[in-house]
Each structure stands twice: as C-alpha cells, then as structure tokens.
Amino acid sequence: MPNTDVALRFVGLENKMSLDEYNFEHFRTKHLLSDAKATVEERGIKPGELAPDFELPRVGGGSLRLSELQGKPVILHFGSFS
Amino acid sequence: MHRNWNGEVEFVDVVIRQAHPGPRVPAYHSFEQKMRDGERYKREDDIAWTVLVDDLPGTTHQVYGGLADPTYIIDAKGRVAFYSMWTHAPTLHTSLEMLRTQGWRGVVGGGVDKTPHLAAAMTDGWKGLRRGLPQSLIDIETASPTVGISTWLGYQLRPLTAPMTLRAKPLPASAKIGLGVGAAAMLFLSARALIRDRSGYGSERRRIRMRPRRRQ
C-alpha cells in the first residue's frame, strides 16, 4: 500500500483487527455482533469529511487512485466474493 | 443501478476479505489469492465497472469502517456525501438524485443510512454463501440459526420477490399506496375473523351450515 491517506489513518485506527482476525477462517456470532456494533457506532468516514485517498491494484491490470476520480461523483462499494 | 447512472457517476468496487469462507473460497493468505477472486467476481457476476482489490490486512476496508457490505457516495470534490452502511440501491438512487440537484456537491439525505435492508440480503445473499458450501452454511447456521436456510429459501423465491427486493429505484408512490391499502385490508380481515371466532359467532354459523337438512 503506497503512502496514502488510508495507510496513514490505518496506523492510528481504533478497533484495528490483526491479519488473522481480519481474515477469519470461520464466520462466527462475534462477527455478526461486531457488524451490529460498528453500525450503531456509525463506524466509517463521516459525511462531509474528505474521503481518505488510496491506491489499489485494479482487476485487469494497473492501479487506481481515488483522487484521480475527483470532479465526478463516485459510488464506492466494499464487497466480498463470498 | 449502473445502467441508470453510467456516464454521470463512476462506479468502483473494492474486494474485501472472505465473508463466508469455505473449501473452495478459503480465508485469504496471499494477495494473489485475493486478486484471483477479484477476477472471478468480475467475470462471474458480469461486473462492467472498475474492480479494485484491497491488500491482505484490509487497510482500506478497515479505514472505511470495516462493515460487511457498505457503499459510499463521494461527491465531485472528493468528500463523503452519503454512507449506506448496508448497501441499498433504491436509497442510493434517491441520494444520487439529491446530489445531482446540488450540483454533485455536499451531504445528502442526512448523510447516513444504518438500516440493514434484510429483504435484499435474503433474496441475494445466497449467491455469496453458496460459494463457500458446505462450511459457509454450517458456520452461519451455528452463528445465527435459520439465517442460512432463510437465505437459501429467499433465493429460491427470487423470481417472485426480486422485482420488489432487488429493485434499483424506490417504489413509485402509487405502488406504496397500493401495498399499504393491501396490508391494511389483510389486517382488517384477519382481525375480523379473530373477533368472530372469539365471540363464537363464526363457529355458530358454521354449525348451522353443517347441520344436515331434513328430508321433506
């Protein structure tokens, strides 16, 4: 991950999960509860805030930096393959 | 939704961790594995827009809240205009329409939608869950009994329910009124039947109806 806003924020992130916690082997009740808690706490980037910039590899080749899309609205969805 | 807004809005998907791991979709241990799933996701789900792949620790996903299925609307100046914590296309559609009237700038619709929108998840959730079978189903039934089975059932009923639960736009006012009137009528008829049964009026009438007629 290049030195982007996201990488800097991640260092000081509260509720940060370790690599094994994040990539869990089995879906458990604690994951449901964690999602419910995160929803109640409105965890994430607050409306009105600048969306933290990131650069990620693109399927099909190359990479994309979020700030490259500035000037146009963006729908940014986070989803799992399973 | 992409068909409705393509050209005006940029669509970006970020592949995150396995939500329901299983033998064919194990938890990620390398970035290459995650990228392969990104490629499968784009191909199998026929995704026409940009798909990015987050790093192994989920740096971007965690900074953006770490939820299971969130969507942000980012305005033309790069600020968060709206945050749908449990992605719901009709709500996002309405928010985009509001943002367009504001010149694609600013916060819209109160900024956050926290509703879980379970109907959509019940209709479409099986698509992800079935990739991890059988472990994914055993895990979700252990974590939250009946959810996995309900999701399977919801998927089977998809031809009937999808036009309502997976719609890209909000229901028109006339449809909402129609549904409201239908629900009220059902409620009224059920309540009336219940009151009649309790008062014995209905059962007395049934007894009279069932009494054999005397031959003349």
Side-chain angles (χ1 to χ4, degrees):
Chain A
M1 165 85 49
N3 195 20
T4 55
D5 296 347
V6 154
L8 296 173
R9 275 196 186 221
F10 187 66
V11 175
L13 193 68
E14 280 180 51
N15 310 306
K16 185 166 53 184
M17 282 179 266
S18 69
L19 192 62
D20 286 346
E21 268 180 305
Y22 180 73
N23 293 296
F24 53 78
E25 301 278 347
H26 290 275
F27 183 81
R28 298 283 185 237
T29 310
K30 67 178 179 182
H31 299 117
L32 270 178
L33 296 175
S34 159
D35 276 355
K37 190 168 180 258
T39 306
V40 171
E41 290 173 355
E42 292 187 13
R43 210 175 288 164
I45 312 302
K46 302 275 173 280
E49 261 188 63
L50 207 57
D53 198 17
F54 57 81
E55 185 174 352
L56 290 173
R58 188 200 291 252
V59 168
S63 64
L64 179 82
R65 209 177 172 106
L66 181 67
S67 52
E68 288 171 18
L69 302 176
Q70 211 163 317
K72 221 175 171 189
V74 178
I75 286 276
L76 178 63
H77 173 244
F78 293 86
S80 172
F81 181 58
S82 56
Chain B
M1 189 171 180
H2 180 254
R3 269 197 300 272
N4 290 328
W5 293 96
N6 188 23
E8 282 186 284
V9 178
E10 286 289 336
F11 283 73
V12 177
D13 243 305
V14 178
V15 176
I16 61 170
R17 64 185 171 189
Q18 294 290 15
H20 300 286
R24 283 171 295 142
V25 285
Y28 296 126
H29 293 287
S30 72
F31 176 76
E32 289 68 32
Q33 194 188 349
K34 207 167 179 175
M35 178 56 95
R36 272 198 300 274
D37 273 359
E39 287 160 0
R40 280 184 65 191
Y41 170 61
K42 194 165 166 58
R43 192 175 57 244
E44 289 177 17
D45 288 11
D46 201 19
I47 307 292
W49 53 91
T50 302
V51 176
L52 306 177
V53 181
D54 199 3
D55 62 7
L56 205 54
T59 306
T60 306
H61 178 218
Q62 291 205 54
V63 165
Y64 274 79
L67 272 164
D69 183 31
T71 297
Y72 286 86
I73 298 178
I74 298 170
D75 77 3
K77 285 196 153 188
R79 291 186 179 276
V80 173
F82 190 77
Y83 178 18
S84 177
M85 300 182 91
W86 297 92
T87 301
H88 186 238
T91 308
L92 289 166
H93 181 89
T94 306
S95 304
L96 281 174
E97 281 183 330
M98 289 159 85
L99 194 63
R100 182 162 55 190
T101 61
Q102 292 178 191
W104 300 116
R105 284 172 178 78
V107 175
V108 291
V112 184
D113 172 31
K114 292 201 280 188
T115 315
H117 300 293
L118 292 176
M122 286 296 170
T123 311
D124 215 29
W126 183 251
K127 257 166 64 184
L129 209 55
R130 74 177 170 190
R131 287 178 171 138
L133 287 174
Q135 185 198 310
S136 58
L137 184 61
I138 295 166
D139 283 352
I140 200 161
E141 280 298 317
T142 310
S144 180
T146 73
V147 168
I149 301 296
S150 309
T151 310
W152 173 81
L153 193 64
Y155 194 74
Q156 307 311 309
L157 296 172
R158 202 179 139 102
L160 291 174
T161 56
M164 282 289 289
T165 56
L166 298 182
R167 61 196 187 277
K169 293 179 182 179
L171 281 174
S174 54
K176 282 183 188 168
I177 292 168
L179 282 172
V181 169
M186 289 276 285
L187 210 66
F188 171 74
L189 291 172
S190 309
R192 199 175 71 160
L194 196 73
I195 291 164
R196 282 185 164 199
D197 273 356
R198 285 223 172 136
S199 65
Y201 174 68
S203 51
E204 181 58 31
R205 280 188 64 176
R206 269 197 298 277
R207 258 201 306 278
I208 291 165
R209 232 181 283 139
M210 286 168 73
R211 205 176 287 159
R213 284 184 186 169
R214 282 186 197 154
R215 287 189 179 169
Q216 297 289 320

